[in-house]
Amino acid sequence: MNTAAVKGNESIGIDPRAGKYLTFFLASEEYGVEILKVQEIIGRMPITPVPLTSRYIRGVINLRGKIHPIMDLKVKFGMEQTVISDETCIIVIKTSSLMMGILVDKVSEVVNMVSEDIEDTPSFGADVNTEYLLGVGKTGGRVRLLLDIEKVINASDIINLKKATGLENKESGA
Amino acid sequence: MNLNHLAISLIELDPENLSDLNEFKKNLILTQKKSKGPLKDILGQACADIEAWPDQDPESRLAGIARLGELLEQAMDLSVRNPSGAKPKKTRSAPQEKAVPPEKMESLIFTLSEEFDADLLSEFIVENMECASMAESAILNWEKDPDNQELLNTIFRGFHTIKGTSSFINLDCVKDVAHQAESMLVKVRDGEEIFTRSHADLSLKSLDMIKSILERMKSSGPGQQINLPSGHEDLLGALRSFISGTRDQKVNGLPIENTAGPVSTASPVSREKVVRKDKEASTDQAPSANQVPDQTTESTVRVKIDRLDKLLDTVGELVIAQTMVGQDELIVGSKHHDLNKKISHAGKIVRELQDLSMILRMVPLKGTFQKMARLARDLSQKNGKMVSFMIEGDEIEIDRNMVDIIADPLVHLIRNAVDHGIEMPEERRRAGKSGDARIHLTAGRVEGSIMLTVWDDGRGLNRQKIIDKAIKRGLIDSAERMTDQEVWQMIFQPGFSTAEQVTEVSGRGVGLDVVRQGVESLRGRIEVQSSEGQGCAFIMRMPLTMAITDGMVVKVGSQRYILPIANIQKAVRPVESDIHTVNQRAEMLDFRGELLPVFRLHKLFDITDAQTELTAGLLIVIGEGQQRCALFVDDLLTQIQVVTKLLGKGINSVPGVAGGAIMGDGTVGLILETAGIVSMARQRLNIAT
């Protein structure tokens, strides 16, 4: 982590993907979102389900008088529905067009990724859609999948990503 | 600046006022530079003349002004004979070349001065819009009461303020109109002329022009160009010829010039006028003197609406937060009497703050009603009907978000009243009624809601015609047992119009359907009362504010929803014998002899832990007329007042859900939309069968 930070100072501004990422867990996989897109992190709170919406819309919450939708990222990626626990968090994402909370199993840390840490997403062939990944971040011996969160939020469905992440994880475990 | 403008400003010129003189000089030189041929020479002479003024005393300047008047008159004669030489154009940026193509003459362009910032401009627009509306309402009242000097002064102040502020930002296109209109009205105010319809027409047209220019300015900034509305030049011409027409008649005894066009009818500049200048100047100042006491009567602050909304949101949050503190078990169960007292005191203040913040959004109906008065006037004039329009209760305040929505239904109703309701004067007299028809627009407060009534004493609704039409359209088979009220309700069906002919303003059969939708979107209801030959009244009832919904919390399984009280007609706990099934699939409720379809909310919303036994839950009768149905829920919990909010982008349109609201415990509650639920349920039923 420290060495990464030092390196980061030397090479800032080369890769547009370089910068600080908030990382979190979905099941056993670690993901990252650009910290600048994160409005805030809130602990679990009552979510009101909204009928007749996509399955990955978990419901809505009241955040200081404004209503925001909550997306269950795991459902969106084709995994099991999130089971709310003490560690469950809502990361409020602010994109240029909307605010939305994403439900994650556990918030991990904020990491500084320099361009050397970021690798392009490997190609998995036609049936694996990696469009929603900015790249793969490798720091401190861990692999984090860097999400293009705007695309994730705006896209209607992503199932293929699951396959990509599954493969990535096996590699990182090795 | 063209010659006409120069001539006008010359008349107004105050020999004592050096800055005025300089301004005039600048314009004169500009005009001279743009002109050609002999005209240029004459204007050159005038320029040379004016050069010497600053050093002279006022007396000789006055003589100079007179001399200049003659020169300008010569110049104008010349330009009439040879119009292309220096065709006056009302713009600074438009080309002043010879042989301007005719299409360019159509849409004139005006460049906004770059010197002023956007904030100043937008403030200017808002202020002048207000002035214009004020003057407009005064004109409408003045028509009824031409002796009222105070109204006349109000009209004056309006035009005068617009003139003053627009000349401050060099907005000549507005200033000229205001100026001419003011000049026209001077004569009436001084008792030299009596007020006529033409005065009112021209004044209203001038205000329309000013408003439409201001409207166009809204979308452009400093230094940008706006297209002048068509007819700008014509209006100025009409005003000028009106003024000079009456003036010439009186002063010079000359016949009125009827030929159109600004050039030929422009008031000739003569010494006589220059002498009159003093008088005009004094009348110009009179209204501004009157203005002072008026401005102190009401002081307001303009606040941006998003800031206001934010304040309301925050106050709403505060109320919830306060309630949560008050209901905390530590507090409720505590023996600290003092603490409880303090908390309830804070609660009182918070609620007071909430009430205050709600009032902030309320605006009086006056502006809307005034537009309706204008509409009624214009329409009745166009149709050759005589209508006296009465307004009552325009001081009542409603939520500002509702103002625009309410205007559309009113426009439709008033159009209908003038176009179809009111008969032609002869027909009225034959029917033994006064030729002067009456339309009343009234507002009143009833039990926390607002009641708007549009009443006319026209021919009223024709029961037989409506029934015939309904049978023709297949809405009913026969109307034997229908009450009048039921017959009247049919006119709100889409495409239903009994007007025999389609006119420009109404009769296309879209009117009343739109009216009903507009009223319903405000969570209101509309009713008709009519007696044939006596007139007809449309009565609308709606809540004072859209911000707060009165609702009942209904329970479906572990979920809670808010059902707006306005949609609820009755809640019944059914017994076995009330329920009938159709093909074992659809269910019906026998509601006082009427069979209503039963829709189960838990099925529609896929809620698994809900009550499924109809007799163990509640059936809520919702909807109107053919849309009536019974909605099955587990239970009714409590009444609640909530602030409607959007669900946030991403899940904006959920069928059957109108929006969300923050409940007392800080969670989000969903507000149900009955119309959506009904149509969704019917759709599913169709698919299933």
Side-chain angles (χ1 to χ4, degrees):
Chain A
M1 190 55 205
N2 270 341
T3 51
V6 173
K7 268 203 243 162
N9 287 339
E10 289 162 0
S11 57
I12 267 172
I14 293 169
D15 193 327
R17 295 175 296 184
K20 288 197 163 131
Y21 283 82
L22 173 72
T23 68
F24 55 86
F25 283 95
L26 297 181
S28 61
E29 301 158 6
E30 197 173 2
Y31 289 81
V33 287
E34 292 163 88
I35 197 93
L36 291 175
K37 299 267 163 65
V38 175
Q39 169 90 8
E40 62 188 292
I41 304 166
I42 43 183
R44 62 177 182 147
M45 61 190 300
I47 299 172
T48 305
V50 182
L52 310 172
T53 44
S54 319
R55 268 193 67 233
Y56 55 78
I57 296 291
R58 186 68 174 244
V60 287
I61 57 158
N62 162 29
L63 191 60
R64 289 183 297 279
K66 283 250 157 64
I67 299 176
H68 296 295
I70 303 297
M71 181 189 281
D72 191 334
L73 215 51
K74 275 158 79 180
V75 177
K76 181 110 181 179
F77 290 165
M79 306 180 216
E80 285 295 304
Q81 203 181 31
T82 305
V83 179
I84 308 269
S85 74
D86 281 346
E87 283 186 316
T88 309
C89 278
I90 294 166
I91 301 176
V92 182
I93 303 288
K94 189 177 186 182
T95 71
S96 48
S97 57
L98 53 89
M99 288 245 284
M100 189 180 261
I102 55 172
L103 203 58
V104 301
D105 285 330
K106 194 169 94 180
V107 168
S108 174
E109 58 181 345
V110 175
V111 256
N112 199 5
M113 299 269 185
V114 295
S115 47
E116 289 93 277
D117 301 333
I118 302 172
E119 280 175 25
D120 288 343
T121 320
S123 169
F124 297 96
D127 61 331
V128 179
N129 191 348
T130 55
E131 200 186 324
Y132 306 101
L133 292 179
L134 289 170
V136 180
K138 284 184 179 171
T139 48
R142 279 150 77 180
V143 166
R144 282 126 171 167
L145 301 163
L146 308 181
L147 287 173
D148 187 340
I149 196 68
E150 291 216 21
K151 272 192 191 152
V152 173
I153 286 176
N154 293 327
S156 54
D157 228 338
I158 323 160
I159 304 158
N160 289 336
L161 195 70
K162 187 198 171 193
K163 295 179 188 167
T165 55
L167 269 162
E168 279 304 315
N169 241 40
K170 265 177 218 157
E171 276 179 18
S172 71
Chain B
M1 271 287 161
N2 62 27
L3 286 174
N4 287 327
H5 295 114
L6 279 177
I8 291 157
S9 46
L10 183 70
I11 295 170
E12 282 193 316
L13 214 55
D14 180 357
E16 310 266 351
N17 188 335
L18 268 182
S19 65
D20 265 15
L21 286 179
N22 278 332
E23 178 68 17
F24 180 77
K25 194 171 108 186
K26 210 173 80 194
N27 287 329
L28 182 65
I29 293 168
L30 261 171
T31 317
Q32 190 250 343
K33 278 185 186 147
K34 283 179 198 153
S35 46
K36 293 198 162 57
L39 193 60
K40 189 167 180 141
D41 298 340
I42 293 175
L43 289 174
Q45 213 178 323
C47 286
D49 218 28
I50 206 169
E51 282 297 331
W53 286 7
D55 308 325
Q56 292 170 346
D57 57 295
E59 272 305 308
S60 32
R61 274 187 215 147
L62 202 61
I65 291 175
R67 240 188 350 266
L68 212 59
E70 282 173 48
L71 281 174
L72 274 179
E73 203 171 358
Q74 279 179 31
M76 280 161 78
D77 277 353
L78 207 69
S79 71
V80 173
R81 265 182 272 126
N82 177 21
S84 58
K87 182 81 187 173
K89 285 200 66 181
K90 248 237 45 59
T91 67
R92 294 194 232 146
S93 58
Q96 297 277 341
E97 300 298 315
K98 263 189 181 183
V100 183
E103 61 268 29
K104 276 203 176 162
M105 302 290 296
E106 289 296 311
S107 70
L108 297 180
I109 293 166
F110 189 88
T111 314
L112 300 175
S113 171
E114 284 174 45
E115 291 163 42
F116 299 98
D117 61 30
D119 280 352
L120 191 86
L121 269 182
S122 71
E123 203 146 295
F124 164 83
I125 293 167
V126 174
E127 264 171 30
N128 280 293
M129 276 292 196
E130 250 166 43
C131 274
S133 322
M134 203 176 70
E136 190 179 345
S137 95
I139 292 169
L140 293 178
N141 288 329
W142 189 31
E143 277 190 314
K144 293 177 196 147
D145 186 10
D147 297 328
N148 189 332
Q149 197 63 26
E150 197 35 58
L151 285 174
L152 188 48
N153 286 338
T154 311
I155 304 169
F156 248 98
R157 271 201 295 277
F159 278 120
H160 192 80
T161 313
I162 293 170
K163 186 178 96 173
T165 47
S166 55
S167 71
F168 174 65
I169 67 161
N170 293 331
L171 193 69
D172 287 347
C173 50
V174 170
K175 188 194 81 185
D176 292 337
V177 175
H179 171 73
Q180 295 291 354
E182 195 186 3
S183 313
M184 173 181 76
L185 295 172
V186 164
K187 316 281 277 183
V188 184
R189 204 193 46 174
D190 293 352
E192 288 177 34
E193 280 172 18
I194 50 158
F195 172 75
T196 62
R197 265 245 136 92
S198 344
H199 284 93
D201 280 342
L202 273 174
S203 311
L204 288 173
K205 271 186 196 145
S206 311
L207 287 172
D208 287 346
M209 178 58 65
I210 289 167
K211 279 183 177 175
S212 80
I213 294 175
L214 292 173
E215 203 60 52
R216 280 159 199 239
M217 280 172 66
K218 274 186 189 166
S219 48
S220 62
Q224 286 180 325
Q225 294 186 333
I226 49 169
N227 287 324
L228 288 183
S230 60
H232 181 266
E233 197 69 39
D234 293 344
L235 175 67
L236 277 178
L239 280 166
R240 258 184 235 125
S241 63
F242 189 81
I243 298 166
S244 63
T246 51
R247 184 177 290 169
D248 286 347
Q249 228 176 5
K250 278 191 185 284
V251 180
N252 300 339
L254 291 172
I256 308 163
E257 288 180 67
N258 280 327
T259 40
V263 181
S264 57
T265 57
S267 44
V269 181
S270 63
R271 255 161 301 177
E272 219 168 331
K273 294 253 182 68
V274 177
V275 179
R276 290 172 51 83
K277 163 195 67 71
D278 285 345
K279 194 179 176 194
E280 291 215 11
S282 70
T283 55
D284 262 10
Q285 276 146 20
S288 60
N290 284 347
Q291 214 169 333
V292 182
D294 224 56
Q295 274 179 340
T296 52
T297 50
E298 204 176 343
S299 67
T300 51
V301 180
R302 275 180 225 289
V303 182
K304 285 208 172 105
I305 194 68
D306 55 339
R307 291 188 189 166
L308 203 57
D309 286 344
K310 214 163 189 173
L311 175 76
L312 290 180
D313 274 350
T314 318
V315 170
E317 278 294 288
L318 181 66
V319 172
I320 291 162
Q322 210 278 334
T323 319
M324 283 163 84
V325 171
Q327 287 170 357
D328 195 283
E329 0 177 324
L330 275 179
I331 305 291
V332 174
S334 92
K335 301 248 172 354
H336 298 287
H337 190 61
D338 267 3
L339 181 63
N340 275 324
K341 238 167 96 181
K342 282 170 195 160
I343 285 169
S344 76
H345 180 59
K348 253 186 218 158
I349 297 173
V350 167
R351 264 179 290 280
E352 202 165 304
L353 189 63
Q354 189 187 25
D355 289 346
L356 283 175
S357 63
M358 285 302 172
I359 298 173
L360 289 182
R361 277 168 47 133
M362 306 292 257
V363 291
L365 279 167
K366 196 169 181 166
T368 314
F369 274 27
Q370 187 195 316
K371 276 184 209 140
M372 300 307 142
R374 174 75 194 276
L375 178 78
R377 173 195 184 274
D378 290 356
L379 281 178
S380 54
Q381 231 172 26
K382 202 184 234 166
N383 288 347
K385 293 173 180 175
M386 290 193 288
V387 172
S388 75
F389 192 78
M390 289 253 305
I391 281 174
E392 214 176 284
D394 60 352
E395 75 284 348
I396 286 177
E397 294 188 331
I398 59 169
D399 196 301
R400 69 167 293 286
N401 295 348
M402 290 171 70
V403 170
D404 293 335
I405 311 174
I406 232 173
D408 283 346
L410 286 180
V411 167
H412 275 293
L413 289 178
I414 284 165
R415 279 184 173 171
N416 264 328
V418 178
D419 215 32
H420 307 313
I422 302 288
E423 313 92 328
M424 297 304 283
E426 316 83 75
E427 197 184 329
R428 288 181 64 85
R429 282 190 208 101
R430 272 203 302 277
K433 291 195 273 193
S434 147
D436 219 0
R438 286 178 295 165
I439 296 179
H440 290 193
L441 174 59
T442 50
R445 269 184 160 174
V446 189
E447 295 161 15
S449 57
I450 182 174
M451 199 160 96
L452 290 173
T453 312
V454 178
W455 174 85
D456 67 74
D457 67 348
R459 51 174 78 94
L461 297 176
N462 184 325
R463 184 183 158 107
Q464 199 48 50
K465 257 192 200 171
I466 295 171
I467 291 170
D468 292 348
K469 178 93 185 198
I471 293 172
K472 211 166 123 195
R473 286 185 56 88
L475 291 171
I476 50 169
D477 297 328
S478 86
E480 259 172 49
R481 284 185 315 173
M482 285 178 87
T483 64
D484 277 354
Q485 199 45 242
E486 281 167 332
V487 174
W488 303 155
Q489 280 298 328
M490 289 195 300
I491 62 176
F492 293 110
Q493 295 291 332
F496 202 98
S497 173
T498 55
E500 275 133 20
Q501 68 197 55
V502 170
T503 69
E504 186 192 339
V505 282
S506 47
R508 293 197 175 85
V510 287
L512 289 170
D513 170 38
V514 174
V515 170
R516 193 194 62 184
Q517 278 173 14
V519 173
E520 280 177 358
S521 74
L522 293 170
R523 290 201 290 276
R525 284 187 195 179
I526 184 163
E527 255 177 51
V528 206
Q529 282 171 9
S530 170
S531 57
E532 188 148 12
Q534 299 298 307
C536 172
F538 288 87
I539 301 150
M540 289 161 278
R541 248 179 104 150
M542 49 198 103
L544 282 171
T545 169
M546 287 294 284
I548 296 179
T549 308
D550 268 311
M552 295 294 286
V553 181
V554 298
K555 176 176 175 289
V556 184
S558 53
Q559 301 301 317
R560 312 255 177 294
Y561 299 102
I562 302 158
L563 193 58
I565 281 184
N567 298 128
I568 301 179
Q569 295 189 347
K570 196 94 187 165
V572 288
R573 196 173 288 281
V575 290
E576 200 89 36
S577 58
D578 290 341
I579 310 285
H580 305 278
T581 53
V582 185
N583 297 342
Q584 297 296 319
R585 300 180 88 155
E587 291 154 316
M588 287 190 302
L589 167 73
D590 188 344
F591 178 64
R592 296 173 188 161
E594 187 185 355
L595 286 172
L596 301 177
V598 171
F599 297 128
R600 292 165 176 254
L601 198 57
H602 68 91
K603 269 194 186 164
L604 293 172
F605 281 178
D606 296 323
I607 297 161
T608 47
D609 54 355
Q611 180 63 249
T612 54
E613 203 58 55
L614 283 181
T615 47
L618 268 184
L619 283 171
I620 301 173
V621 180
I622 55 170
E624 294 265 359
Q626 293 174 322
Q627 296 290 303
R628 217 132 87 112
C629 64
L631 195 66
F632 178 64
V633 298
D634 291 8
D635 211 352
L636 272 181
L637 296 180
T638 167
Q639 191 174 341
I640 191 173
Q641 281 196 327
V642 289
V643 179
T644 313
K645 291 177 182 199
L646 291 175
L647 287 186
K649 283 184 183 160
I651 44 170
N652 261 342
S653 62
V654 182
V657 175
I662 314 296
M663 311 277 277
D665 60 358
T667 58
V668 180
L670 299 180
I671 302 172
L672 299 179
E673 186 206 7
T674 49
I677 290 175
V678 172
S679 65
M680 179 171 63
R682 285 184 192 281
Q683 238 170 10
R684 289 205 188 176
L685 212 62
N686 285 343
I687 293 165
T689 51

